[in-house]
Amino acid sequence: MINVAIEAAREAGKFLRYSVGRVRNVETKQGEERNLVSEIDRGSEERIIGIIRHHYPAHGILAEESGTSSPDAEYRWIIDPLDGTTNFLHGLPVFCVTIGIEHRGEIVAGVVYDPNTDVLYTAEKGKGAYMNGKRMKVSSTSGLINSLLMTGFPYDIAENPGMAVDHFVDFLMEAQGIRRFGSAALDLCFVAEGRLDGFWEVNLNPWDIAAGILLVTEAGGAVSDFDGAPLSIYRKKVLASNGVIHGAMLDVLKKRPPGAAKNAAPH
Ligand code: IPD
Ligand code: CA
Ligand code: CA
């Protein structure tokens, strides 16, 4: 199955790269003016699903643009055909294709393909995580002051700021540095690779993280929700780290009691 995921991710990635600067029709999604989609997101998804269906017609699918099919199937392919849509639309080369494979509720394989660098990240449960075939390992950095962290912000942050800005400020005060690249799947790959030490984000969808969290854990890192509880890709809060700084990151996230958001936008 992982070879089919790789074939689909490479095929879709080739299409994305070719399509930079060739977008014809951009629309907003879910009534959110920052949440964009184009015919390229859909075209990428059609290519991926076509390849999966050719090999596994009875498997289930959860795909960002076309939704769910065969929800009771034993295997489910979880697909983001273009992670980093805003970057893509601006011609900023930070986007990817990501595909996770779930078996009876457990992520057993994941693939992320970055068409701009031609880097392929792969992981299978219990078999390690790889970057272009080379085994990956998370960093061994300790202490937030030595850690480079990554995050992202939801499209509807102006309407529903929650604690995203407060958490950003709190980490800014404690970490060596914070980055926001705009592709959650690649962010998680960078943690798995040891280029980043930690990542947190709220309001992500299963397709953003299904492959990435397996890459992090198979590379020796830790993932949880913001309370330290086991991560479900269907819940909205994701913390991923090299493991060493996980407790310190949880302490920062738990510092503010629920409902204590200070930096809410005025309505
Ligand atoms: C988005 C990216 C971004 C994250 C957003 C996601 P999309 O996915 O992963 O980094 O901050 O929350 O929705 O819309 O480009 O597929
Ligand atoms: Ca995404
Ligand atoms: Ca997407």
Side-chain angles (χ1 to χ4, degrees):
M1 272 188 280
I2 195 158
N3 289 329
V4 172
I6 292 170
E7 181 191 342
R10 282 193 185 281
E11 187 64 30
K14 207 165 41 166
F15 170 69
L16 294 181
R17 203 169 144 77
Y18 169 82
S19 303
V20 174
R22 294 185 158 94
V23 182
R24 289 191 312 269
N25 184 26
V26 182
E27 294 159 37
T28 58
K29 274 165 86 171
Q30 293 155 18
E32 296 166 356
E33 54 186 350
R34 296 181 176 89
N35 191 355
L36 305 175
V37 64
S38 79
E39 76 280 7
I40 308 302
D41 299 70
R42 297 191 191 99
S44 175
E45 188 163 300
E46 277 161 25
R47 283 164 171 77
I48 295 166
I49 292 177
I51 291 169
I52 296 168
R53 286 245 172 285
H54 175 73
H55 292 274
Y56 301 105
H59 284 190
I61 285 184
L62 169 60
E64 179 174 11
E65 310 306 340
S66 56
T68 306
S69 63
S70 307
D72 300 325
E74 199 178 328
Y75 283 96
R76 174 151 69 168
W77 297 66
I78 303 176
I79 302 161
D80 189 336
L82 167 47
D83 187 52
T85 288
T86 308
N87 290 342
F88 171 83
L89 291 172
H90 286 263
L92 189 68
V94 185
F95 54 83
C96 66
V97 178
T98 174
I99 303 172
I101 305 173
E102 192 185 57
H103 179 238
R104 298 180 195 265
E106 184 188 28
I107 306 296
V108 292
V111 168
V112 176
Y113 179 59
D114 178 345
N116 295 296
T117 54
D118 193 26
V119 170
L120 178 76
Y121 299 91
T122 54
E124 285 176 277
K125 180 97 189 150
K127 295 188 184 171
Y130 297 84
M131 184 196 115
N132 281 349
K134 193 169 157 263
R135 186 101 189 220
M136 293 194 290
K137 197 172 169 354
V138 291
S139 72
S140 54
T141 307
S142 63
L144 289 183
I145 193 63
N146 304 309
S147 299
L148 187 59
L149 307 181
M150 179 79 88
T151 190
F153 299 99
Y155 290 121
D156 68 343
I157 189 153
E159 296 77 30
N160 295 305
M163 289 206 276
V165 178
D166 300 279
H167 285 152
F168 179 77
V169 173
D170 290 345
F171 277 116
L172 202 55
M173 297 305 149
E174 305 241 1
Q176 185 179 71
I178 315 261
R179 301 291 180 263
R180 196 287 196 242
F181 283 7
S183 165
L186 279 179
D187 297 345
L188 289 164
C189 292
F190 295 146
V191 174
E193 245 184 296
R195 288 173 160 175
L196 292 170
D197 307 301
F199 166 81
W200 84 98
E201 188 166 343
V202 70
N203 275 1
L204 289 169
N205 286 298
W207 46 80
D208 299 313
I209 55 173
I213 61 168
L214 184 66
L215 282 152
V216 171
T217 53
E218 287 297 320
V223 297
S224 74
D225 72 7
F226 287 3
D227 295 317
L231 189 68
S232 156
I233 58 167
Y234 300 99
R235 286 206 222 106
K236 298 269 170 185
K237 293 174 178 163
V238 177
L239 171 62
S241 77
N242 65 3
V244 186
I245 62 163
H246 210 80
M249 288 190 76
L250 280 172
D251 288 345
V252 173
L253 291 168
K254 287 196 233 164
K255 210 159 84 179
R256 290 174 195 266
K262 245 191 5 209
N263 288 298
H267 286 287

